Amino acid sequence: MTDRVRIVEVGPRDGLQNEAAHLSPETRIAFIERLLAAGLETIEAGSFVSPKWVPQMAGTDAVLRGLGARPGRNFPVLVPNERGFDAALAAGAGEVAVFAAASEAFSQRNINCSIAESIERFRPVADKARAAGIRLRGYVSCALGCPYEGEVDPARVVAVTVALRELGCYEIAVSDTIGVGTPDRAASLVERAADAIGIEHVAVHFHDTYGQSLANIYASLQKGVRVVDAAAGGLGGCPYAAGASGNVATEDVVYMLNGMGIETGVDLEKLLDAAEFVAAAIGRNPVSRVHRALRPAAYA
Ligand SMILES: CC(C)(COP(=O)([O-])OP(=O)([O-])OC[C@H]1O[C@@H](n2cnc3c(N)ncnc32)[C@H](O)[C@@H]1OP(=O)([O-])[O-])[C@@H](O)C(=O)NCCC(=O)NCCSC(=O)C[C@@](C)(O)CC(=O)[O-]
């Protein structure tokens, strides 16, 4: 194994989009500042989607404007269509992410169109991003299972991954939206995605619904993955996937990688501070074994 993993912190977007508490742009900025202080370089700052669909992400323009440009730091934002891209560009985004599903039913519930239609919607986004020099990332959700369709054919996941790569995504996060995956399946999927687009373009994105995330990440690392999505404090879930729990907690990932001698550039103590800050803002403790172990007083 090489000795460095890039963590993509998705707490301010994937995490907060599914919390009952709606945090103000100011609080979201304060959370992101703490994540920056912990050393995280890539922090997904929000999304430009319909506020009727996901009200938690309203004000992402204010978040981006409040953060401004920071050398060496990336604040990607999710965009579902051209309108979202235009708003992201106007707010100063330097990177956007498009998101397609590997399951038709999930695509309909999540973005109200078929998988093929979503790829067509992303085409002008990709064209505009290229013209504006904006980096484009991609997600394939339901990669290891769908809340509506159950099992998802890996060939379908690979096909969507390839379509996103062909659109110009520099990296595609193979995403277990409902956290049903187990290590052998995760590793096999990563291998198939890597065969299709190259391992350097594959990231992994696990939700911890069944407690499998760390094992899945470990298995993916063994297949050569070096980009891992995670959310401080194990925030979130997915509004269109009932029962989906939060992303794997960033502090749990950092602890595991530290123990493996793999560099992340993240200061664990400062990361715990960030997780505590956002957990207090939403009114609960972080969902993280490492937080519980290292800061037991919070649970006394
Ligand atoms: C895609 C749409 C907009 C289609 O929604 P629609 O209803 O089919 O489209 P529409 O064009 O008829 O627009 C509906 C309303 O949204 C407005 N609208 C249209 N576009 C935008 C925009 N960009 N920003 C702000 N507003 C927008 C539009 O103006 C209109 O407003 P109204 O006339 O009703 O007042 C809607 O379905 C939507 O916003 N969906 C977002 C859902 C979402 O964010 N889901 C969570 C993402 S998480 C995920 O996918 C998984 C991932 C990535 O995390 C990986 C994993 O964990 O597995």
Side-chain angles (χ1 to χ4, degrees):
M1 286 189 189
T2 60
D3 60 356
R4 188 168 179 93
V5 158
R6 184 165 66 88
I7 293 182
V8 176
E9 169 61 48
V10 296
R13 194 281 302 173
D14 202 6
L16 291 181
Q17 76 180 7
N18 197 40
E19 294 290 345
H22 295 191
L23 302 188
S24 67
E26 293 71 27
T27 307
R28 284 145 64 189
I29 290 170
F31 173 36
I32 292 170
E33 292 289 3
R34 284 163 174 79
L35 294 167
L36 288 168
L40 286 152
E41 291 174 357
T42 306
I43 302 171
E44 201 170 57
S47 60
F48 287 86
V49 300
S50 164
K52 284 186 190 154
W53 286 61
V54 187
Q56 292 90 333
M57 290 294 103
T60 294
D61 53 341
V63 173
L64 280 187
R65 289 198 176 93
L67 289 168
R70 310 279 178 109
R73 309 297 180 106
N74 279 338
F75 302 118
V77 286
L78 218 59
V79 299
N81 53 21
E82 223 177 324
R83 175 171 167 187
F85 177 83
D86 291 343
L89 187 65
E95 177 169 332
V96 297
V98 290
F99 49 113
S103 125
E104 284 296 347
F106 188 81
S107 186
Q108 289 293 347
R109 305 266 184 127
N110 194 32
I111 50 176
N112 208 19
C113 66
S114 69
I115 299 168
E117 284 165 346
S118 74
I119 298 293
E120 286 315 307
R121 273 188 198 174
F122 300 150
R123 211 170 291 286
V125 171
D127 291 344
K128 285 186 166 185
R130 199 173 303 112
I134 303 280
R135 289 179 10 129
L136 186 68
R137 193 172 196 250
Y139 286 95
V140 182
S141 44
C142 298
L144 287 162
C146 168
Y148 312 111
E149 291 180 8
E151 293 220 351
V152 172
D153 181 355
R156 178 142 224 180
V157 181
V158 172
V160 177
T161 305
V162 168
L164 290 175
R165 178 76 187 124
E166 284 172 357
L167 274 181
C169 294
Y170 73 92
E171 179 173 290
I172 291 114
V174 175
S175 305
D176 186 9
T177 312
I178 54 170
V180 289
T182 46
D184 289 350
R185 288 180 58 226
S188 157
L189 187 60
V190 160
E191 210 167 24
R192 290 182 68 158
D195 284 347
I197 66 166
I199 194 69
E200 68 278 21
H201 300 296
V202 178
V204 289
H205 179 109
F206 293 111
H207 288 256
D208 206 32
T209 320
Y210 290 84
Q212 302 297 300
S213 293
L214 286 181
N216 290 341
I217 291 169
Y218 185 85
S220 303
L221 291 171
Q222 289 187 309
K223 294 296 174 189
V225 162
R226 286 298 175 270
V227 184
V228 174
D229 293 7
L235 286 171
C238 177
Y240 301 103
S245 76
N247 294 87
V248 63
T250 315
E251 52 271 37
D252 291 0
V253 176
V254 169
Y255 181 87
M256 179 178 83
L257 294 174
N258 284 348
M260 294 170 72
I262 296 177
E263 181 58 41
T264 61
V266 178
D267 179 313
L268 187 56
E269 286 300 322
K270 289 183 180 163
L271 177 59
L272 291 173
D273 293 342
E276 277 183 5
F277 171 83
V278 73
I282 60 178
R284 61 165 169 78
N285 273 321
V287 182
S288 146
R289 302 297 285 264
V290 167
H291 182 267
R292 183 178 273 273
L294 294 179
R295 307 251 173 117
Y299 303 85

